[in-house]
Amino acid sequence: MQPDQNQYSFITDSANGSTGGPAFLQDPKKRTFIAIAFVAVIIFTAVILVSIFLSLGKKSSAPLVEVVGYQTELLRISTIGLESSKDLSTRSYASTLQSFIQSDLIKTTGYLGSTGKKLGEAEISSQLDSAVDKDLESANLRNIFNETLLGFFEKKSALYKQSLQKALNSASTKEEKALLEAAAKNILTFEATQKKSGVSASVDVTKL
């Protein structure tokens, strides 16, 4: 039996410049396109993986932003009290609270800035409660402005303390924990001092 003369033809074919593989890879332009596409996919995948990794390692600043919102709102309400109340004890309450909160707000925003977080107006005023203004206007007409103002102070202070607790639970650095602990100590000290002096709200603003 004569051997098949073509069974070794691949040897001479390769010598003549023929290469193996799919036919579409024989075109240099197609090979270049495929190579570029492959590199693009690798780069895209790498970018996605890096983004996911960074997002997992980056701590949310939302709890601290909420703290800033309540600090800003307490300052706003205390300013209303100082501008509108003629009662000395109420004005003293508002002034003292304002000094405590103002100091803590500066520290909180300063820390956020050091982490690269830039606060927008919407974030700063995130806890603004326009209902406070309307209720205080109504209370002024009914001659219960001071009592209502103190009621709002107590309500907002309670929410502020909750936001401080939430932020402390998620704090990840010693500096962050220190500033939050100092803010918590300040509001608790302020409330204890006012309680001793007998200043308290007689209007339940939760029912307004």
Side-chain angles (χ1 to χ4, degrees), residues 173-191:
T173 68
K174 290 182 179 180
E175 184 181 359
E176 183 180 4
K177 289 179 181 178
L179 75 87
L180 289 169
E181 287 173 351
K185 182 178 179 181
N186 281 340
I187 190 65
L188 291 173
T189 299
F190 169 77
E191 290 180 341

Side-chain angles (χ1 to χ4, degrees), residues 68-141:
V68 168
Y70 279 115
Q71 290 172 336
T72 302
E73 180 64 355
L74 280 169
L75 281 177
R76 191 183 74 85
I77 297 173
S78 65
T79 299
I80 293 175
L82 288 172
E83 292 175 348
S84 304
S85 179
K86 294 179 175 59
D87 180 71
L88 291 178
S89 62
T90 302
R91 290 177 60 82
S92 175
Y93 186 108
S95 178
T96 305
L97 177 61
Q98 192 174 69
S99 63
F100 273 108
I101 299 297
Q102 181 67 58
S103 174
D104 291 327
L105 176 60
I106 291 173
K107 293 175 182 177
T108 309
T109 54
Y111 174 79
L112 282 169
S114 71
T115 64
K117 173 64 177 177
K118 294 182 179 180
L119 292 170
E121 186 60 36
E123 292 174 308
I124 293 172
S125 59
S126 61
Q127 302 306 319
L128 188 149
D129 186 356
S130 58
V132 171
D133 304 70
K134 295 178 181 179
D135 289 334
L136 285 175
E137 288 178 7
S138 175
N140 194 35
L141 294 174

Side-chain angles (χ1 to χ4, degrees), residues 27-39:
D27 188 336
K29 291 183 179 180
K30 291 181 178 179
R31 288 203 301 269
T32 301
F33 174 78
I34 292 172
I36 293 174
F38 178 75
V39 172

Side-chain angles (χ1 to χ4, degrees), residues 87-94 96 146-147 149-151 153-154 190-202:
D87 180 71
L88 291 178
S89 62
T90 302
R91 290 177 60 82
S92 175
Y93 186 108
T96 305
N146 297 313
E147 299 91 330
L149 178 68
L150 293 175
F153 277 141
E154 291 184 3
F190 169 77
E191 290 180 341
T193 301
Q194 296 305 314
K195 187 175 181 179
K196 286 182 179 179
S197 66
V199 179
S200 61
S202 58

